[in-house]
Amino acid sequence: AQSVTQLGSHVSVSEGALVLLRCNYSSSVPPYLFWYVQYPNQGLQLLLKYTSAATLVKGINGFEAEFKKSETSFHLTKPSAHMSDAAEYFCAVSGPNAGNMLTFGGGTRLMVKP
Amino acid sequence: DTGVSQDPRHKITKRGQNVTFRCDPISEHNRLYWYRQTLGQGPEFLTYFQNEAQLEKSRLLSDRFSAERPKGSFSTLEIQRTEQGDSAMYLCASSSPEVSSYNSPLHFGNGTRLTVT
């Protein structure tokens, strides 16, 4: 079975500060990992995905994530937060199950202070 | 690519009534998924179609829930005898038939928010 844990349901940063959102996964097989962003009253939008090609993955809007097998982590970072980054962020894992069902973490709400 | 479309965006119903939601996936996508998201939580998988075949159902999908995708295009999710615990955002997603399905990203619609009073 696969699972995802996101540490910190709420993260607050100042505009221009580093953003770090934590994600740890559990998987019995090499995982495929994803980060999604959700703005209020909208669906989820893919930020980036890890598919074993490279451990450092660059996504949209300046976000990137690093896969660390030894730590079973896939933390999301952005060097400088912008007000428009305020949203809910979800880490998800999939693997060789039926279709490519995603198992999501509980989410982290990012707040950006001016 | 017009994106995944869901209708209605909002539905308010009284306990015990039946409701039906519709999802139109991206046209060339053969896989379609339904997820449920309650407030402050991540989406939870409900069911999955490949073309018109329903291949997987979560234990969350009680016998009051039924999903169809009759022609392998749009899908409907029906909830019978709604309960207050059914109040949630119902998200539909679709994905394309890439060589390796496990890393094919899901494209989500904006969801249908159901409120059961």
Side-chain angles (χ1 to χ4, degrees):
Chain A
Q2 299 160 317
S3 65
V4 170
T5 302
Q6 291 184 241
L7 295 176
S9 58
H10 292 80
V11 170
S12 181
V13 300
S14 297
E15 191 172 20
L18 171 71
V19 175
L20 171 61
L21 305 182
R22 299 178 187 274
C23 171
N24 288 87
Y25 69 91
S26 172
S27 176
S28 58
V29 297
Y32 292 102
L33 294 159
F34 304 79
W35 276 99
Y36 282 83
V37 61
Q38 185 177 34
Y39 297 99
N41 297 313
Q42 292 189 22
L44 282 74
Q45 179 184 2
L46 180 69
L47 274 178
L48 50 80
K49 65 178 184 180
Y50 166 74
T51 59
S52 78
T55 57
L56 184 62
V57 181
K58 294 188 183 299
I60 63 171
N61 301 339
F63 284 93
E64 62 182 36
E66 185 172 9
F67 173 71
K68 292 187 177 180
K69 184 178 179 181
S70 61
E71 298 177 9
T72 60
S73 69
F74 190 56
H75 301 332
L76 181 71
T77 61
K78 182 174 180 177
S80 176
H82 191 274
M83 295 296 290
S84 61
D85 294 327
E88 187 95 23
Y89 291 81
F90 294 95
C91 183
V93 62
S94 76
N97 48 33
N100 57 319
M101 295 180 295
L102 293 179
T103 299
F104 286 88
T108 297
R109 180 167 297 281
L110 175 65
M111 294 168 284
V112 182
K113 298 176 291 186
Chain B
D1 181 350
T2 57
V4 177
S5 177
Q6 291 189 247
D7 183 70
R9 287 296 309 274
H10 304 273
K11 178 70 177 179
I12 300 174
T13 190
K14 292 185 177 179
R15 185 164 53 94
Q17 298 294 305
N18 299 343
V19 294
T20 300
F21 310 142
R22 176 180 171 123
C23 171
D24 287 88
I26 293 171
S27 58
E28 64 269 24
H29 287 184
N30 67 338
R31 296 190 180 95
L32 186 146
Y33 307 78
W34 285 99
Y35 282 79
R36 182 173 69 186
Q37 184 179 24
T38 53
L39 209 58
Q41 301 296 319
E44 297 172 296
F45 170 77
L46 291 179
T47 190
Y48 150 70
F49 290 85
Q50 182 160 311
N51 300 313
E52 66 276 6
Q54 189 174 18
L55 298 185
E56 191 79 13
K57 290 198 295 185
S58 163
R59 280 173 286 182
L60 291 175
L61 212 65
S62 75
D63 56 6
R64 296 185 297 106
F65 288 70
S66 62
E68 295 183 342
R69 195 183 182 195
K71 298 181 180 179
S73 57
F74 74 91
S75 175
T76 58
L77 177 68
E78 181 183 16
I79 309 174
Q80 295 181 328
R81 306 181 303 281
T82 52
E83 301 173 355
Q84 288 188 323
D86 297 331
S87 295
M89 175 80 89
Y90 290 84
L91 294 166
C92 177
S94 66
S95 70
S96 63
E98 293 182 15
V99 173
S100 172
S101 67
Y102 310 121
N103 62 19
S104 176
L106 302 191
H107 298 259
F108 284 85
N110 286 331
T112 293
R113 182 168 295 283
L114 172 67
T115 302
V116 182
T117 62

